[in-house]
Amino acid sequence: VISSESISQEDVISVADLGEFGLIAAVRAVLPPDPPGVLGVGDDGAVLPAPDGRVVASTDLLIEDRHFRRDWSAATDIGVKAAAQNMADIAAMGAVPTALLFGLAVPGEIAAAWIVAVAEGMAAECDRAGAMIAGGDVTSSDSVMLAITALGSLAGRDPVTRSGARPDDVLAISGPVGASAAGLALLLAGLDVLPSASEPELLRLVAAHQRPQPDYAAGPAAASAGATAMIDISDGLVADLGHIAEASGVCIEVKSASLPGTRALESAAARLGADWRDWSLGGGEDHALAATFPPEATLPAGWTVIGNARRGAGILVDAKAWSGDAGWDHFRRAGGFPA
Amino acid sequence: VISSESISQEDVISVADLGEFGLIAAVRAVLPPDPPGVLGVGDDGAVLPAPDGRVVASTDLLIEDRHFRRDWSAATDIGVKAAAQNMADIAAMGAVPTALLFGLAVPGEIAAAWIVAVAEGMAAECDRAGAMIAGGDVTSSDSVMLAITALGSLAGRDPVTRSGARPDDVLAISGPVGASAAGLALLLAGLDVLPSASEPELLRLVAAHQRPQPDYAAGPAAASAGATAMIDISDGLVADLGHIAEASGVCIEVKSASLPGTRALESAAARLGADWRDWSLGGGEDHALAATFPPEATLPAGWTVIGNARRGAGILVDAKAWSGDAGWDHFRRAGGFPA
C-alpha cells in the first residue's frame, strides 16, 4: 500500500511513475471503505441513498494559485478545504452532506504523495461531516485543479434558498467570520513564520485560512428553526448577503457593532494595524452561514443576530451603502488573491 | 442576452471582459429553465428528485489537448462530448441520466462565446438524454478544463456493476464500436479536410469522434433484461472488458468475427490501410455499452453478442490473450492522443 508517508520518504515516485491506474489504486487505498449497502468508488457510477426522495447537489472548482497555493497549504489542508467549501454549500441549503465526488487534474511530475495526501484531507473532512467519498477521477494536466461535487440530504426538510428573505426578518450568522481573511493577511505579511509561541491565536487564524472547519450542523439547525433564506459565506459576508438581497428582493442591513469578534481577530488586527471588522465584512472562505429568520424565530445555538432585512434593495452597513471590497471575482482580478 | 452567435460576430468579448458573474449570467441564459418543482442552477445547491430513494453519481474531468482539442472540435461538440461521456457512465449502471453539474476552468483571454457554446452543447446533450443542468461553476485557470458530474435514477432497478459476470454468461455490446477511433485516425491523417462529398461516411466517423451520441436507453434496457455486469466503453472495448473480468473474477472471450461492422468503418479502414476490428477492439470514446447476460436472457434490441465469460482471468480475443493497445492511460502517455 502506498501511503503519503512512505512515498514522501522516498521522495521520488511521481504521478507519471505510478500511471493513472496506479494512482487511482494509491488514492483508493487511503479512502475509507464504503458504508454497508452503498456502492461507492470503483464502478462507472456510485449508488447512494437519497432517503427522502431528493438529493441536494453542488459543484466547485479549485485552481492552483487562485484558490490555493502549494507553498502555503499542506496537501491534506487543500483536500480539507476543497471538501469543506463544497459541503458548506450543502449545509447552506439546510441539508446534511452525504457524499463527495472529486476530480483531480495534476501534472505528471507532481509527487504521488501529494495527491494521496489531498485525498486523505478530503476523506478526513468527509469523515468529520459524516459524508462518504463516492467517486473520483484523476487525469494529467498542465496545472493542478480540483473539481468537487458534494451531495446531501434534506431529511424531509424544505430547502432554504437565497430568495426567501422578507422585510423585518432578522439577519444572523452561524459564527464569527473573518478568521480566514485575517489568516490570509498574516500569511501575506509573512507573520506566519515569526516565532510566535506567544501568539498561538495568530497561528490559529492562519490555520483557519488553510483548513476551514465549517459547522455543518448549523445549516440543518437553521432550516429547522425556520430560516427564510440562507447562504454559505464564501466570497465575503457583504458580497454573499448581496446574493440574498438580490434573490429575495429586499435590502439587508448589517450593524457592524453586532459582528461577533474573537480575541484572535483583535490580536491580528492590532498586529497588522487593521480593523478586524473589515475582515468580517469583506473576507470569505470561513464558510460560516448567513441566514434570515422570521422576527419571532428562536435562533439555534451559536447563531448571532447582526442585522435585519427591510424593504428596498442592496446592502447597508451601519446605514451606509457598502463601498468596501465586496467580494472576489475570479476573472477580473485573476492571478492574485483577495487582499 | 449574450448568445454564442452575437459574441462570435463581434469577436472581442473575452471571459475576462465579462467577469465571473457576467459569464455565469451569459451561461445561464442559454440553459433551459428548471423543470417545475425542481431547484436548479442559481443557489448554493440544487435540489433534485431521487424518486426511488437512491441516486447514481459519476464524475469526470476533460482537459484541453488531452481529452479534446479546440482546433479539432467545435465548442458545442466539446460540450456534447463532456456531457455524453458522463451520462454514459450513468447508463452503464442501468440508470437514466437525470442531472448534470459542470465546472469550467478557462483562461481569461478565451472568448466568452466559446464558453457559452460549450454550455449550449452540454444543454443539448442533456436535452437528448432527458436530463437537466443542475449546477455549475466557472473560474479562471491557465488551461481549459471541464469537470462534469452526472446524476441518475435507477427507477427501482438494481444497479448493474462490473463485478457480476459469471462463467457461461454471454457478452454483448449495445452497438458497433470503433467509429470514434476511426474518426480520430482520419483526423490524424488529415482526411477530414479532403473533398469528400463521395465519402460522407468518413465525415460521419469524424463526427462520431467529435460528438458521440450514446444510446442512453441501452443501459436501463440491459438492466431490465437481466444484465449481470455492465461498463461504458470509454478506454477501449478490450481495456474496459478487462475491468469487468477483473472485478468479476472471470475470463472474457471476444470473437472478433462477431464484432458488428459498418460500411463507414470498412470504408475508413480501406482508405487508411487499417483493420477496422482494431478500432473496435482498442478504440474508446464511442460510449457504447458492454454487458454480460445470463445464457438464457433475451437481449434488448440493438445488442449484439460478441463473446462470453468463462472460468479464468483476463481477456481472450479469438482464443489468444490480447496483446494490442489495451486502452489509454492518461499519465503514461500524457501529452498525446491514443493512436
Side-chain angles (χ1 to χ4, degrees), chain A residues 15 18 20 43-44 46 48 50 53-58 61 66-67 92 137 139-140 149 162 232 329-332, chain B residues 15 18 20 43-44 46 48 50 53 55-58 61 66-67 92 137 139-140 149 162 232 329-332:
Chain A
V15 161
L18 271 188
E20 182 176 1
D43 219 293
D44 288 38
L48 305 162
R54 298 170 299 170
V55 62
V56 181
S58 181
L61 295 176
R66 286 177 174 80
H67 301 94
D137 186 23
T139 191
S140 63
T149 300
R162 300 174 177 182
D232 163 46
D329 181 315
H330 286 290
F331 289 106
R332 293 208 185 275
Chain B
V15 161
L18 271 187
E20 183 176 0
D43 219 294
D44 288 38
L48 305 162
V55 62
V56 180
S58 181
L61 295 175
R66 286 177 175 80
H67 301 95
D137 186 25
T139 191
S140 63
T149 300
R162 300 175 177 183
D232 163 47
D329 181 314
H330 286 291
F331 289 107
R332 293 208 186 277

Side-chain angles (χ1 to χ4, degrees), chain A residues 15-23 39 42-64 66-67 85 88-90 92-93 101-108 134-149 151 154 159-163 230-233 235 243 289 328-332 334-335, chain B residues 15-23 39 42-67 85 88-90 92-93 101-108 134-143 145-149 151 154 159-163 230-233 235 243 289 328-332 334-335:
Chain A
V15 161
D17 292 334
L18 271 188
E20 182 176 1
F21 295 107
L23 183 61
L39 186 62
D43 219 293
D44 288 38
V47 183
L48 305 162
D52 73 354
R54 298 170 299 170
V55 62
V56 181
S58 181
T59 197
D60 261 324
L61 295 176
L62 288 91
I63 311 287
E64 178 167 24
R66 286 177 174 80
H67 301 94
Q85 77 173 49
D89 280 328
I90 299 298
M93 299 303 293
L101 298 101
F102 66 90
L104 272 174
V106 288
D137 186 23
V138 289
T139 191
S140 63
S141 67
D142 293 332
S143 51
V144 179
M145 181 188 80
L146 283 85
I148 309 279
T149 300
L151 304 179
L154 286 160
V160 184
T161 68
R162 300 174 177 182
S163 59
M230 187 151 53
I231 196 164
D232 163 46
I233 305 170
D235 291 335
H243 297 310
L289 303 176
W328 178 239
D329 181 315
H330 286 290
F331 289 106
R332 293 208 185 275
Chain B
V15 161
D17 292 334
L18 271 187
E20 183 176 0
F21 295 107
L23 183 62
L39 185 62
D43 219 294
D44 288 38
V47 182
L48 305 162
D52 72 354
R54 297 170 299 170
V55 62
V56 180
S58 181
T59 197
D60 261 324
L61 295 175
L62 289 91
I63 311 289
E64 179 168 23
D65 292 338
R66 286 177 175 80
H67 301 95
Q85 77 172 50
D89 280 328
I90 299 299
M93 300 302 293
L101 299 100
F102 67 88
L104 272 174
V106 288
D137 186 25
V138 290
T139 191
S140 63
S141 68
D142 293 332
S143 50
M145 291 180 273
L146 282 84
I148 309 279
T149 300
L151 304 179
L154 285 160
V160 184
T161 69
R162 300 175 177 183
S163 60
M230 186 151 56
I231 195 165
D232 163 47
I233 305 170
D235 291 335
H243 297 310
L289 303 175
W328 177 240
D329 181 314
H330 286 291
F331 289 107
R332 293 208 186 277

Side-chain angles (χ1 to χ4, degrees), chain A residues 3-22:
Chain A
S3 73
S4 55
E5 253 179 49
S6 68
I7 293 181
S8 61
Q9 281 159 13
E10 296 177 28
D11 199 33
V12 283
I13 302 174
S14 73
V15 161
D17 292 334
L18 271 188
E20 182 176 1
F21 295 107

Side-chain angles (χ1 to χ4, degrees), chain A residues 1-2 23-34 40-42 100 102 115-124 126 132-136:
Chain A
V1 172
I2 292 160
L23 183 61
I24 289 171
V27 167
R28 286 189 64 180
V30 300
L31 301 183
D34 296 335
V41 176
L100 197 81
F102 66 90
I115 305 296
V116 170
V118 169
E120 286 175 332
M122 290 190 292
C126 283
M132 64 176 286
I133 290 186

Side-chain angles (χ1 to χ4, degrees), chain B residues 23 31 58 77 101 116 125 165 189 199 202 247 292 309 337:
Chain B
L23 183 62
L31 301 183
S58 181
D77 288 349
L101 299 100
V116 170
E125 189 62 12
E199 298 171 298
L202 302 192
T292 53
F337 271 71

